[in-house]
Amino acid sequence: MEGELDVSGSKNASLPIIAATILNKGTTVIQNVPEIRDVKMMCSILESLGCKITKEEGTLIVDAKSIINSEIPDDLMHEMRSSVIIAGALLGRLHECKFTYPGGCEIGSRPINLHLEGFKQLGVGIDEANGFIKCECEKLIGTEIVLDFPSVGATENIMLASCLAEGTTYIKNVAREPEIRNLQDFLNAMGANVAGAGSNTIVIKGVKTLHDAEFSIIPDRIEAGTYLCMAAATKGDVKLNHVNAEHLSSVIHKLKQMNCKIGFSKNSIYLKVPRELIGTNIKTMPYPGFPTDMQSQFVTLLTLARGTSIVVENIFENRYKYVNELIKMGANITIEGKAAIIQGVPKLSPANLEAKELRGGAALIMAALTAEGESKVTGIEYVERGYENLVKKLTIVGAKIQKA
Ligand code: UD1
């Protein structure tokens, strides 16, 4: 891969921020929104609730003056588990919401107990019957909530639910991901009073009402990290623009350990692989630790690095499904519980591969880019959930890739 790429707006920041627009009985403008399937699904949910949405080249205008429905459609809830984030926004706006239990998915069981526990503590009554969860309250009352685990979704959902609550909410042991900070900034731009994102505790002083706002989404650190891995795997030389390198420090640290040469200029990162890649060990952790969303791309990269590497997945229990596909290509990987033990091989062979989820799918495309000869990757709709214009972007930097 050689050349320059522009990184899109963050998927994981866009989803809760789009959900949060419901809290404002007016019009909100969001810029730098990626055109990806998950964003489209989030917009469809909002439309089903009564919002009017216009989209023009990365700018989303949400008119949430009239919300006529408090139920998240079953099919959209099933398609995208993160749609549960709408629940907090609906509770804040209408004091009620109804949705189906999200259930398991390809990367793990994805429970929502921490979300529901948080809602309960804010005074919400929760009724679970026949696969439906119904949440209702007279009013939301600020309180102290301690999360058992710094869940990203639970932190965001509780933030959304408590913006318009009576009194002050303290959420402790929160997730510290940059997307949480972006959400805080957006809520404050609409007139909320939220502080502490990036630390262990978020404090939300309830306000009576929010107002119209215009806001820009942060760059997608996982998209950027994926392209850095792809460049490293193909012994490339790339420059990524519209990046926040601070959000990528754990990823950059590992790439440097693997022998990649990395440089920075304002909002850009350069990567070059002057020598061979060297193996390293990685443990996924909540931010600022190494992101689970970069695990599959790194396992794939480590497959092509000298020596033995060990990767431990601590966040999701079922995130190695793509590994069997890599083994088909000649990778030497053994899975033992949470650990992947990777013995580097000189190259991978082309194969027909099946993507079963977003990041694992991106990792398979990356493996296919390194293999001499033609590989076919099916299940590309999973990858399109999170990567804007993937084929176009990879073509710009010299990949021979096309969508059949
Ligand atoms: C978000 C990201 C996802 C990322 C993940 C971890 C979005 C849209 N998705 O997902 O890309 O991989 O953070 O960085 O932002 N858990 C519970 N109970 C709960 C909630 C979570 O046990 O109520 C567990 C999960 O099973 C998992 C861990 O906590 O093991 C982390 O999940 P969480 O941080 O909530 O991830 P998501 O918000 O679903």
Side-chain angles (χ1 to χ4, degrees):
M1 269 167 66
E2 263 185 46
E4 288 190 34
L5 275 186
D6 290 340
V7 171
S8 300
S10 159
K11 166 178 96 70
N12 287 353
S14 296
L15 297 176
I17 285 175
I18 296 171
T21 60
I22 302 180
L23 291 168
N24 172 32
K25 291 180 189 160
T27 304
T28 316
V29 179
I30 313 168
Q31 284 146 358
N32 203 29
V33 179
E35 204 153 333
I36 50 174
R37 278 190 64 214
D38 274 13
V39 163
K40 284 184 193 137
M41 276 190 261
M42 188 55 91
C43 290
S44 302
I45 298 177
L46 260 64
E47 282 167 341
S48 78
L49 303 175
C51 295
K52 292 188 185 69
I53 300 187
T54 351
K55 180 139 203 235
E56 288 161 17
E57 280 195 35
T59 300
L60 208 64
I61 303 165
V62 184
D63 171 353
K65 279 186 203 84
S66 108
I67 300 287
I68 49 167
N69 185 8
S70 62
E71 186 169 339
I72 307 172
D74 187 20
D75 53 333
L76 295 169
M77 187 75 205
H78 188 74
E79 271 275 329
M80 189 175 68
R81 272 149 193 93
S82 46
S83 41
V84 71
I85 199 71
I86 297 272
L90 280 171
L91 279 171
R93 171 84 184 249
L94 303 174
H95 295 169
E96 62 172 38
C97 64
K98 190 176 169 190
F99 51 97
T100 41
Y101 209 81
C105 74
E106 286 297 330
I107 64 170
S109 61
R110 308 208 75 166
I112 54 162
N113 55 311
L114 301 173
H115 304 234
L116 299 181
E117 203 43 56
F119 292 162
K120 269 187 208 161
Q121 290 184 51
L122 290 167
V124 177
I126 296 177
D127 186 18
E128 294 182 50
N130 309 322
F132 280 97
I133 301 179
K134 199 161 184 270
C135 304
E136 236 175 339
C137 61
E138 281 286 311
K139 57 181 178 181
L140 293 145
I141 302 164
T143 183
E144 179 176 305
I145 297 165
V146 184
L147 297 178
D148 281 346
F149 181 87
S151 151
V152 173
T155 303
E156 294 168 341
N157 233 342
I158 299 167
M159 283 167 81
L160 296 186
S162 47
C163 274
L164 296 167
E166 213 176 273
T168 303
T169 303
Y170 299 84
I171 324 173
K172 297 196 167 169
N173 194 27
V174 290
R176 293 156 65 191
E177 270 69 0
E179 292 76 21
I180 305 276
R181 173 63 198 259
N182 209 211
L183 178 62
Q184 168 179 293
D185 290 346
F186 173 64
L187 293 169
N188 288 340
M190 290 198 297
N193 187 342
V194 186
S199 75
N200 289 327
T201 303
I202 292 178
V203 183
I204 301 143
K205 291 189 178 141
V207 295
K208 290 255 179 302
T209 173
L210 298 177
H211 55 68
D212 292 355
E214 203 168 321
F215 190 78
S216 187
I217 300 284
I218 51 169
D220 196 310
R221 63 193 167 101
I222 306 299
E223 188 201 16
T226 303
Y227 289 134
L228 289 176
C229 284
M230 286 180 173
T234 55
K235 303 280 187 299
D237 185 349
V238 294
K239 180 183 178 202
L240 299 187
N241 300 318
H242 305 158
V243 203
N244 186 332
E246 228 178 84
H247 297 167
L248 279 157
S249 31
S250 59
V251 167
I252 289 168
H253 175 62
K254 287 295 157 190
L255 286 169
K256 281 184 177 165
Q257 276 184 352
M258 292 183 73
N259 225 3
C260 296
K261 268 223 145 98
I262 307 229
F264 306 95
S265 65
K266 195 172 176 280
N267 301 333
S268 297
I269 301 184
Y270 308 79
L271 180 139
K272 204 173 172 173
V273 186
R275 293 153 293 188
E276 67 172 340
L277 293 164
I278 299 169
T280 187
N281 299 329
I282 294 176
K283 284 182 184 163
T284 65
M285 304 284 274
Y287 190 86
F290 186 91
T292 172
D293 285 351
M294 286 302 304
Q295 179 257 99
S296 38
Q297 300 89 317
F298 267 82
V299 166
T300 308
L301 189 59
L302 290 166
T303 288
L304 296 162
R306 177 157 55 86
T308 307
S309 305
I310 298 175
V311 174
V312 179
E313 171 56 60
N314 288 312
I315 309 293
F316 289 109
E317 73 270 22
N318 210 354
R319 221 169 182 179
Y320 286 129
K321 285 201 172 165
Y322 65 93
V323 163
N324 279 338
E325 300 298 275
L326 293 181
I327 291 171
K328 270 197 217 164
M329 302 175 84
N332 184 346
I333 305 173
T334 318
I335 304 295
E336 280 179 21
K338 289 177 166 190
I341 300 135
I342 305 140
Q343 193 66 54
V345 295
K347 61 184 174 103
L348 295 173
S349 313
N352 288 338
L353 307 165
E354 190 189 350
K356 293 189 176 139
E357 40 88 17
L358 168 59
R359 306 301 172 188
L364 294 181
I365 292 177
M366 175 175 153
L369 287 175
T370 71
E372 258 175 55
E374 190 175 287
S375 298
K376 216 178 253 172
V377 185
T378 54
I380 217 67
E381 62 278 9
Y382 290 107
V383 184
E384 288 176 334
R385 293 180 77 135
Y387 292 90
E388 185 177 49
N389 293 330
L390 179 92
V391 169
K392 195 170 152 198
K393 286 191 184 186
L394 287 175
T395 307
I396 291 172
V397 286
K400 293 199 181 77
I401 179 169
Q402 63 182 44
K403 202 172 152 184

